[in-house]
Amino acid sequence: MASAPSSTTSGIHLPDTARDLVKILVAGPFGVGKTTLVDSVSEIRPLHTEEPLSEASAQVDDLEGARDKSTTTIAVDFGRISLPGGIVLYLFGTPGQERFRSVWDDIAYGALGALVMVDSRRIDASFDVLGLVEETGLPHAVAFNAFPDAPGHYTEAQVRAALDLEPGTPIVTCDARDADSSIDALLALVHHLIDRHPPEHR
């Protein structure tokens, strides 16, 4: 089990042990928990670009399964976390609505991978985001965010089949509110990236 960042690494400045700086996207549909995940793990004060949902946006944003949500990310969430081995992740949470797709290329530029979050209450809501990540060619892992009011329990095999994931795509169950659980999801992605591109001997 991972550990949340300690207070000794908190603050504005990078830790002295920082060696590899990695840009990671936190992607997923509207209301899946991207902002919550960034909040739970960031060792710096996260940056948010959230605005209240309006009557106009309610006409275009699918609130099914997320009726209690009152705000939405309109540009990006940003946070940072230092991992063992000198790896520092810069986390960029992306907007989940189709109407913000025009900013995707700008946010995705320079990213090495993506953590795609899936809502256990509405698995099909993640199809478009997964397709976009695959279209971009980003290596990715899937974080199945388990909400307590989900209609049922799904096995990993069922989720993998429903999302039509490639056999090597990591999938982990997480609770975006819990730092340890969220870090475990990020570590699954990092290990996947390392397996694809082993670091050169230094």
Side-chain angles (χ1 to χ4, degrees), residues 106-119:
D106 290 335
I107 298 175
Y109 181 79
L112 293 189
L115 182 68
V116 180
M117 299 186 67
V118 174
D119 190 329

Side-chain angles (χ1 to χ4, degrees), residues 173-198:
T173 299
C174 80
D175 181 343
R177 302 166 299 179
D178 180 77
D180 287 346
S181 180
S182 298
I183 292 172
D184 282 340
L186 290 167
L187 285 172
L189 172 61
V190 169
H191 292 153
H192 181 53
L193 295 177
I194 292 173
D195 288 344
R196 288 171 58 95
H197 303 287

Side-chain angles (χ1 to χ4, degrees), residues 57-101:
S57 67
Q59 304 303 313
V60 293
D61 293 333
D62 183 7
L63 299 180
E64 185 67 31
R67 295 291 179 186
D68 294 335
K69 190 165 174 60
S70 60
T71 61
T72 183
T73 298
I74 61 169
V76 68
D77 293 316
F78 175 76
R80 188 189 79 201
I81 178 173
S82 301
L83 299 176
I87 298 173
V88 177
L89 303 184
Y90 290 104
L91 305 175
F92 289 77
T94 63
Q97 298 99 305
E98 177 64 25
R99 60 193 173 98
F100 292 119
R101 182 166 180 169

Side-chain angles (χ1 to χ4, degrees), residues 13-21 43 80 82-83 85-88 90:
H13 304 290
L14 283 171
D16 294 337
T17 55
R19 187 185 66 193
D20 296 308
L21 311 181
E43 64 194 13
R80 188 189 79 201
S82 301
L83 299 176
I87 298 173
V88 177
Y90 290 104

Side-chain angles (χ1 to χ4, degrees), residues 131-148:
L132 184 57
V133 170
E134 291 170 354
E135 180 183 315
T136 307
L138 280 175
H140 56 280
V142 169
F144 189 68
N145 196 16
F147 287 87

